[in-house]
Amino acid sequence: MKEIMKHIKSNSFAVVYLLFGDEDYLKIRYRNRLREAVCGEDTMNLSVYQGKDVSVAEVADLARTMPFFAEHRLIIIEDSGMFKSASEEMTELVKELPDTAIMIFVESEVDKRGRLYKAVNEKGYVCEMKKQTEAALRDWAVRIFGEAGKKITRSDMESFLERAGDNMNNIYNEACKLISYTGEADVILASDIDAVCPPRPEDRVFDMINAMSAGKRDEVIRLYSDLLALKEPPMKLLTLIGRQFATLMSVKDLAGQGKSGQEIAARLALRPFFVGRYISQAKNFSAESIREAVRDCVDAETAVKTGRTEDKYAVEMLIVKYSSQ
């Protein structure tokens, strides 16, 4: 990404770029930055293609057409799937791109062994937009707040990120809502986060299982009722409960093997600051009770999908059973 910024600052561009990976926010951000740097408000020399029905012949004609009173013609191709289906025609076009054309591919998945990937890598610049680390997301969120003249404590930042998740689009949107909500105040408080950033369904399910482990049935029912009031489908809640118990089973097993929190986070692809919470929650259940809960969730999902019971009833039976233990 730093290399792309160097190209932009020097106004010296590669003839072809490939932006791919899991982090959509970064792909769109750098696509837009390149677009602005190459052609600004000029739409005469800009062509955008989306989806899998891209005509390579049409793109080739555009690429070979001289730009209209400009230095470059920009062609953006998004979600074409060409880097998975081995487009030989596009591979040859990339190899022969004239200096007057700049092409930007924005893709979710690529085959790094494919000829098109190798052609772009050789002819231009490839940038994989990966999910950011916890530290990177925290620093980025701090910058967003700082640029708006806002301060936030580390503990409140952790709470904010727990609510916003690790999706950069969501973090940015939730941060903007907080900035607007707090108005002239220069400090973002926990009460502001509670008011503006509701817990994700996953977090409420986590809290439900915490309450289950403590035998707090009234608290479980309150959290469950909140989720229903938010129009969360019971089947989705059943899936989340099952996923939570499955994660707890893996965490308990790895912790029993003496694995560190960092090792558990890496093995299970969990966000590091969540691991301590999972380890603490897993201690509240025996290994056998967690395995039984996982089996019950699987059986409940099967019963719902085969029409033997209703999804709401299945969830409520699980709640009753595991709030009583």
Side-chain angles (χ1 to χ4, degrees):
M1 289 178 279
K2 290 181 180 178
E3 190 67 24
I4 293 176
M5 293 309 299
K6 287 181 183 178
H7 295 183
I8 291 172
K9 289 177 181 178
S10 65
N11 199 40
S12 177
F13 303 101
V15 293
V16 60
Y17 292 86
L18 169 60
L19 313 179
F20 76 101
D22 297 324
E23 189 47 76
D24 292 337
Y25 177 89
L26 291 176
K27 289 187 294 186
I28 300 307
R29 179 179 177 83
Y30 282 91
R31 178 205 67 186
N32 290 345
R33 286 194 169 192
L34 283 168
R35 173 176 172 168
E36 176 65 26
V38 172
C39 60
E41 299 299 320
D42 176 15
T43 58
M44 292 287 293
N45 295 295
L46 171 67
S47 299
V48 180
Y49 295 87
Q50 292 182 318
K52 302 185 185 303
D53 298 324
V54 178
S55 168
V56 179
E58 182 178 322
V59 173
D61 286 341
L62 277 171
R64 292 165 185 151
T65 301
M66 290 294 294
F68 186 72
F69 291 109
E71 189 174 354
H72 296 106
R73 180 176 295 279
L74 179 62
I75 302 170
I76 299 174
I77 300 175
E78 302 184 34
D79 297 319
S80 68
M82 291 182 180
F83 289 82
K84 294 289 287 182
S85 60
S87 173
E88 296 300 323
E89 296 86 352
M90 185 60 77
T91 299
E92 294 307 312
L93 173 58
V94 165
K95 290 180 178 180
E96 300 169 0
L97 275 175
D99 293 339
T100 54
I102 294 176
M103 189 177 293
I104 302 173
F105 291 98
V106 183
E107 301 287 337
S108 296
E109 293 183 289
V110 304
D111 181 355
K112 294 181 180 180
R113 301 165 300 176
R115 293 185 66 230
L116 180 54
Y117 178 91
K118 292 177 180 177
V120 174
N121 196 34
E122 181 179 339
K123 182 85 173 182
Y125 183 71
V126 171
C127 186
E128 183 173 4
M129 308 297 194
K130 297 180 179 179
K131 287 289 185 183
Q132 300 297 286
T133 64
E134 191 66 40
L137 290 174
R138 186 187 305 113
D139 291 346
W140 179 61
V142 167
R143 287 198 301 273
I144 294 173
F145 291 131
E147 288 169 2
K150 307 287 185 182
K151 296 179 181 178
I152 184 170
T153 66
R154 186 179 181 89
S155 61
D156 286 341
M157 174 60 78
E158 298 289 353
S159 177
F160 168 71
L161 289 177
E162 285 184 19
R163 302 285 182 92
D166 60 1
N167 179 285
M168 293 182 76
N169 272 320
N170 197 53
I171 291 172
Y172 180 78
N173 290 335
E174 293 299 303
C176 289
K177 284 161 56 178
L178 265 176
I179 289 166
S180 177
Y181 177 80
T182 51
E184 298 298 320
D186 59 0
V187 177
I188 292 173
L189 304 174
S191 57
D192 300 323
I193 296 170
D194 288 339
V196 175
C197 308
R200 297 178 302 161
E202 293 88 340
D203 297 328
R204 290 182 186 266
V205 168
F206 186 96
D207 292 339
M208 276 178 58
I209 293 179
N210 256 347
M212 285 180 191
S213 69
K216 297 179 180 179
R217 185 182 295 181
D218 289 345
E219 178 71 5
V220 176
I221 292 172
R222 182 187 67 78
L223 290 165
Y224 173 61
S225 298
D226 288 347
L227 286 164
L228 292 181
L230 292 170
K231 307 299 183 184
E232 294 293 344
M235 191 62 186
K236 177 183 176 181
L237 299 182
L238 179 57
T239 299
L240 289 175
I241 291 170
R243 188 180 302 161
Q244 177 72 16
F245 275 119
T247 300
L248 287 178
M249 185 167 64
S250 298
V251 167
K252 195 171 187 71
D253 180 54
L254 291 170
Q257 297 174 30
K259 303 295 184 184
S260 68
Q262 187 173 2
E263 289 174 313
I264 293 173
R267 182 78 67 87
L268 301 180
L270 295 173
R271 296 171 67 189
F273 66 75
F274 275 142
V275 173
R277 295 175 62 195
Y278 278 108
I279 292 174
S280 296
Q281 191 176 81
K283 290 178 181 177
N284 295 328
F285 294 93
S286 68
E288 179 53 38
S289 66
I290 296 177
R291 283 194 292 271
E292 182 180 356
V294 171
R295 288 195 296 268
D296 284 346
C297 289
V298 171
D299 290 344
E301 284 200 45
T302 301
V304 172
K305 290 176 180 177
T306 56
R308 288 187 286 116
T309 189
E310 294 183 359
D311 51 5
K312 191 169 181 288
Y313 177 78
V315 174
E316 290 169 359
M317 289 301 294
L318 282 170
I319 287 174
V320 169
K321 178 175 181 177
Y322 288 97
S323 297
S324 303
Q325 294 186 357

